[in-house]
Amino acid sequence: MGRAVQNRAALCAAAMAAFAAMDTVGAQEADIESQDEQVTAENDKTGRVTQLQRVVIGAGREKVAIDTPQAVSVVEQEEIDEAQPQTVGEVLRRVPGVNVSGSERATGQTFNIRGIGAPESANEEGRIIVTVDGAQKYYEQYRMGGFFSDPELYKKVEVLRGPASSTLYGSGALGGVINFTTKDASDFIAQGDTGALRLKGAFNSNRNGWLGSAIFAQRLNENAEFLLTGNYRRADSYVTGDGSEIRSSDFAAWSGLAKGTFRVGDEGTLRLSYQQWDSDADDQDYAQVGTEPLFGTVDRHVVDKTAVVSYENPFSDNDLIDLKISASFSDTTVDQTDAGNPDFGLTCATSTVFCDAEYGYQTWQFNAQNTSEWRGANWENFLTYGWQTSYQIRSATAFDLSGAPIAYGHHPEGTDLKTGLFVQNEFIWNDRLTLIPGLRLDYRKLSPDSSTTLAEESDDVAFSPKIAALYKFNDTFSIFGSVAHTERFPTLDETFSTPYPSLDLTKEKSNNFEAGFAVSAFDLIQDGDGVQLKTTGFYNDITDLIYRQCSSASSCLAGGYDTQYVNLRSADIYGVEIEAAYDSDFVFANAAYTYTIGKNTSPDATPLTEYLTTVAPHELKLTLGGKVPQHDLRFGWNARFVAGPQDSLREDSDATSGRYSSAFDVHDIFVAWTPKEGAMRGWEVHGGIDNLFDRQYKEFLMNDPAKGRTFKLSLAKQIGW
């Protein structure tokens, strides 16, 4: 480990030791509001909440996004409803620095944050941590996406950009973290009621897309409530702006969520939840991350399950205990039959890739953390520490033409055991200066299955220190910065894939630096309005980056790879993100600009390989809307202006697949009517038009052109008792 990292680690450890040892005299005298009340008090200045004022989940004192010394975005229920998304990827379209890669297909999407993430390399999924109610999700398979779910299950999505998230969520989050939060019964039961039923139907014109959804919420007594929800969604293959049909983009899937919340004792909360997503499709393209007709078709059954048990207790009468414990189980399986393209000789007889097979990932995880508080007359200190462990099984069973199991080297089986200890301290002085040092130590043991050839068990450790600071000069202006280091272990696929395993791979290492400023102002145009601006500059220096080596120049341009994983000596990803939000009684607006550059800085880099192919072009996202409060009406316009690729070798307006694209702009409109009073109380109507001008365009990180003009309409009715 370099001297710079050692110095930062020593600084973090010294800072935490000093904070933990601070005198607690006067803590009992301080009459400080609870964390939730503090956040509410700040928002009450305007009576409304912009995107940059939304509460961020995390350790220590709860904060709003603009007061967090990290780039954080929160997508809440209102935005999800306005977008009327068919896939989870559509939920993230307005988040700066975040893109979806792969394709629009329900089983062909992966995530990309600040140039980290792409579907052609199996290792990309491991650089972004994705959680559902705290349970980590991970899936990797040849020509498949990495996350399977339905947006109707969620009420909130939180995106933490950059490696600083590794301290609390796990080493290796080079891109960041995406947290999905499922709905609760209390979200639907009105004050004074004990239950609610919500029915929803939705339609979109591109093409013939339908959603049916039912939510049942019941409060049994003051100590127990539960929620049951079921969804069925289907659509035909969509068409692009020029009328072309994207084959195998049709899908049908059902999903459901069962969740119970129970009060235990005076303050404890126990939550039990189970969700499942299920898609069974015949004659689908084998390649789901982009149209590749050569691979032929397959019958594919995908099932994703997540179960979580969690317990929280703030122990408000004891400042040293604020306990959170959770255990989870994640199970993703893919069963494939009748795969291949006989016209080109692609069958089970010629390659095991096209044999009937069963793929799967099973992950057991346990998390425990506690926060201890100390307070003085003008300072607060929150020390969070905990332990996380996970055990993941990767399985793949193929069957030859006689039905006998055979070795499946390109999807190596094995187990991945990770366990980590972490500590993070948050010191707040005079409500102006915030210091957040943190340390994490992870141990990993990689054990290939006996079916994997050339296999050797391996173990390693990873170290993730960070320090972040924010200083508020006044209620209007603040500055912030952070330094974070993280390391990512090679995965089973990277290490043991045949025919060329990479047994000598080393850990990826990332040093990330961020700095920026935030501005808040109120009562500008009318009483109670507010505007916020947050600007973040970042520089991510990555060494020993793992990637699949191109076999030829033509293969690089086409997005093709051979089977060898190697360590790239070094790469730099840097840029700036600017977020702005305005809200008033009748008008609201949001803007986000992302400028990201990613370069291969190895000495042997060539003009062809100079730019990283996972970095999306610069982009400006705008939202402008209006409100008619007396009629509970909200409407608006969304626009995206996307530049051409940084690398001119990958710009081609005529290309429809691979890493090619050209500059484009696309516009959407939406309207929402949610009456609170009168005969229509309990109804919700959402309408919209995506790609209003029917543009023909392709996202840089997508391998197929995007959807053409799409009309959307949803109608929901809720009753309570």
Side-chain angles (χ1 to χ4, degrees):
M1 185 174 299
R3 184 178 300 275
V5 174
Q6 292 177 340
N7 290 340
R8 287 198 299 273
L11 176 60
C12 292
M16 283 187 295
F19 297 151
M22 284 185 173
D23 188 3
T24 61
V25 175
Q28 296 178 353
E29 300 174 353
D31 183 16
I32 301 174
E33 297 175 314
S34 68
Q35 296 173 11
D36 289 340
E37 290 171 341
Q38 290 172 346
V39 174
T40 302
E42 291 183 13
N43 292 335
D44 282 346
K45 293 177 181 178
T46 63
R48 58 184 61 86
V49 179
T50 69
Q51 287 185 349
L52 287 170
Q53 291 176 299
R54 292 174 178 171
V55 175
V56 176
I57 300 172
R61 179 201 282 182
E62 285 190 341
K63 294 173 285 295
V64 295
I66 197 169
D67 292 333
T68 304
Q70 182 182 359
V72 181
S73 296
V74 181
V75 181
E76 293 193 334
Q77 189 68 68
E78 185 177 60
E79 284 176 284
I80 297 174
D81 290 339
E82 286 175 355
Q84 301 182 71
Q86 270 197 318
T87 62
V88 171
E90 293 181 39
V91 176
L92 303 174
R93 281 181 174 170
R94 302 183 196 177
V95 179
V98 178
N99 292 273
V100 177
S101 63
S103 74
E104 295 271 8
R105 297 173 177 87
T107 57
Q109 297 188 340
T110 59
F111 303 121
N112 179 288
I113 302 178
R114 289 182 176 175
I116 302 292
E120 288 88 354
S121 295
N123 53 324
E124 295 290 350
E125 284 86 352
R127 296 186 178 119
I128 296 173
I129 293 177
V130 179
T131 72
V132 172
D133 290 340
Q136 287 196 15
K137 304 292 293 183
Y138 179 85
Y139 188 81
E140 184 283 317
Q141 182 187 329
Y142 184 62
R143 300 284 173 174
M144 286 282 287
F147 185 71
F148 313 120
S149 192
D150 192 281
E152 201 64 26
L153 297 171
Y154 305 108
K155 65 177 180 180
K156 183 176 182 178
V157 184
E158 182 183 77
V159 182
L160 298 87
R161 302 188 290 279
S165 306
S166 294
T167 301
L168 294 179
Y169 292 94
S171 63
L174 272 68
V177 175
I178 302 177
N179 295 321
F180 291 90
T181 302
T182 57
K183 296 174 178 177
D184 287 288
S186 57
D187 299 326
F188 301 95
I189 302 175
Q191 186 175 4
D193 288 347
T194 59
L197 175 66
R198 185 175 189 267
L199 301 177
K200 178 180 178 180
F203 170 78
N204 81 78
S205 64
N206 194 356
R207 294 170 55 188
N208 196 27
W210 292 94
L211 165 70
S213 174
I215 295 175
F216 176 76
Q218 182 67 49
R219 180 171 293 128
L220 301 179
N221 51 53
E222 62 180 10
N223 296 321
E225 63 184 32
F226 67 89
L227 175 141
L228 294 173
T229 179
N231 312 296
Y232 179 76
R233 191 186 296 272
R234 68 161 309 278
D236 296 334
S237 294
Y238 73 84
V239 296
T240 66
D242 65 3
S244 301
E245 180 179 292
I246 300 300
R247 52 182 286 172
S248 288
S249 59
D250 59 301
F251 73 96
W254 69 266
S255 60
L257 168 68
K259 193 172 188 179
T261 304
F262 309 92
R263 183 174 178 180
V264 181
D266 293 335
E267 297 182 300
T269 302
L270 175 67
R271 291 185 176 89
L272 308 174
S273 70
Y274 173 80
Q275 68 163 282
Q276 182 169 325
W277 185 88
D278 190 302
S279 172
D280 193 356
D282 295 338
D283 297 323
Q284 288 279 301
D285 271 25
Y286 190 98
Q288 287 290 290
V289 296
T291 301
E292 292 286 352
L294 175 65
F295 290 98
T297 61
V298 64
D299 298 341
R300 186 177 273 145
H301 187 193
V302 182
V303 180
D304 185 272
K305 306 173 183 177
T306 307
V308 181
V309 179
S310 66
Y311 173 76
E312 300 178 7
N313 196 325
F315 290 96
S316 59
D317 58 345
N318 188 338
D319 288 344
L320 298 181
I321 305 178
D322 184 351
L323 188 63
K324 296 180 181 179
I325 301 174
S326 68
S328 64
F329 173 69
S330 172
D331 184 16
T332 307
T333 59
V334 176
D335 292 344
Q336 295 186 176
T337 57
D338 196 24
N341 188 347
D343 293 340
F344 287 87
L346 300 179
T347 67
C348 181
T350 58
S351 172
T352 58
V353 172
F354 302 104
C355 292
D356 291 353
E358 299 173 355
Y359 299 89
Y361 278 88
Q362 292 182 330
T363 305
W364 286 264
Q365 185 176 350
F366 178 78
N367 300 332
Q369 73 175 49
N370 182 61
T371 300
S372 299
E373 304 177 17
W374 293 268
R375 291 191 176 98
N378 62 349
W379 58 269
E380 298 174 278
N381 194 82
F382 303 88
L383 180 66
T384 300
Y385 44 92
W387 168 52
Q388 295 177 341
T389 189
S390 66
Y391 183 73
Q392 185 177 87
I393 300 174
R394 188 185 207 236
S395 60
T397 303
F399 305 92
D400 64 18
L401 296 176
S402 67
I406 54 178
Y408 218 23
H410 80 280
H411 192 100
E413 297 180 285
T415 61
D416 188 344
L417 171 66
K418 294 188 182 77
T419 188
L421 299 173
F422 63 90
V423 58
Q424 175 175 291
N425 195 82
E426 181 176 351
F427 173 73
I428 304 169
W429 174 77
N430 204 27
D431 204 29
R432 290 190 179 275
L433 175 65
T434 300
L435 293 175
I436 308 178
L439 293 169
R440 185 184 184 96
L441 182 65
D442 283 290
Y443 168 80
R444 192 285 311 268
K445 183 177 182 180
L446 205 62
S447 303
D449 187 84
S450 58
S451 62
T452 302
T453 59
L454 300 176
E456 295 180 4
E457 188 174 88
S458 64
D459 58 3
D460 204 349
V461 295
F463 186 52
S464 300
K466 76 169 184 182
I467 186 166
L470 181 143
Y471 185 78
K472 298 177 67 173
F473 289 90
N474 48 47
D475 290 338
T476 300
F477 185 76
S478 62
I479 60 174
F480 60 90
S482 67
V483 178
H485 173 85
T486 193
E487 300 171 345
R488 187 185 76 89
F489 302 115
T491 64
L492 280 162
D493 190 81
E494 294 165 340
T495 307
F496 300 118
S497 287
T498 58
Y500 305 111
S502 305
L503 304 179
D504 58 348
L505 284 177
T506 61
K507 295 176 297 187
E508 294 178 336
K509 306 173 186 65
S510 168
N511 293 316
N512 189 71
F513 307 88
E514 295 191 14
F517 64 90
V519 178
S520 295
F522 306 99
D523 303 324
L524 297 176
I525 301 175
Q526 68 173 69
D527 290 342
D529 70 352
V531 63
Q532 286 78 40
L533 170 70
K534 188 172 184 177
T535 299
T536 306
F538 60 92
Y539 177 82
N540 195 353
D541 180 16
I542 306 172
T543 57
D544 295 322
L545 185 71
I546 300 172
Y547 80 115
R548 292 186 95 173
Q549 188 171 346
C550 293
S551 58
S552 66
S554 60
S555 177
C556 283
L557 283 173
Y561 301 86
D562 61 22
T563 57
Q564 181 72 49
Y565 283 100
V566 298
N567 284 108
L568 185 70
R569 184 171 300 179
S570 60
D572 291 341
I573 299 177
Y574 54 91
V576 63
E577 295 162 350
I578 303 174
E579 302 171 82
Y582 174 79
D583 198 16
S584 66
D585 289 338
F586 303 104
V587 176
F588 64 94
N590 299 295
Y593 176 67
T594 304
Y595 179 97
T596 307
I597 299 290
K599 289 191 175 183
N600 174 2
T601 55
S602 301
D604 57 351
T606 67
L608 183 64
T609 61
E610 178 184 5
Y611 287 90
L612 301 181
T613 59
T614 59
V615 179
H618 318 320
E619 180 174 354
L620 174 64
K621 303 178 182 182
L622 297 175
T623 297
L624 179 62
K627 295 180 283 187
V628 185
Q630 63 270 32
H631 296 296
D632 302 305
L633 190 66
R634 179 181 168 98
F635 55 90
W637 159 77
N638 294 314
R640 297 174 57 222
F641 302 89
V642 182
Q646 304 157 23
D647 184 356
S648 59
L649 292 172
R650 291 180 173 84
E651 182 168 9
D652 183 353
S653 59
D654 297 325
T656 58
S657 63
R659 276 297 169 262
Y660 299 87
S661 69
S662 58
F664 67 87
D665 60 274
V666 61
H667 305 263
D668 311 327
I669 57 175
F670 64 89
V671 61
W673 182 45
T674 56
K676 304 294 190 300
E677 303 292 341
M680 295 298 291
R681 179 184 178 186
W683 288 90
E684 291 184 21
V685 181
H686 291 272
I689 306 175
D690 290 354
N691 195 356
L692 180 63
F693 302 112
D694 210 16
R695 302 283 197 201
Q696 175 73 11
Y697 71 98
K698 192 186 79 66
E699 307 278 359
F700 180 73
L701 294 173
M702 292 284 195
N703 292 315
D704 291 309
K707 291 181 181 179
R709 184 186 295 116
T710 305
F711 296 88
K712 294 182 174 182
L713 179 66
S714 69
L715 181 65
K717 169 61 175 176
Q718 179 171 318
I719 59 174
W721 55 83

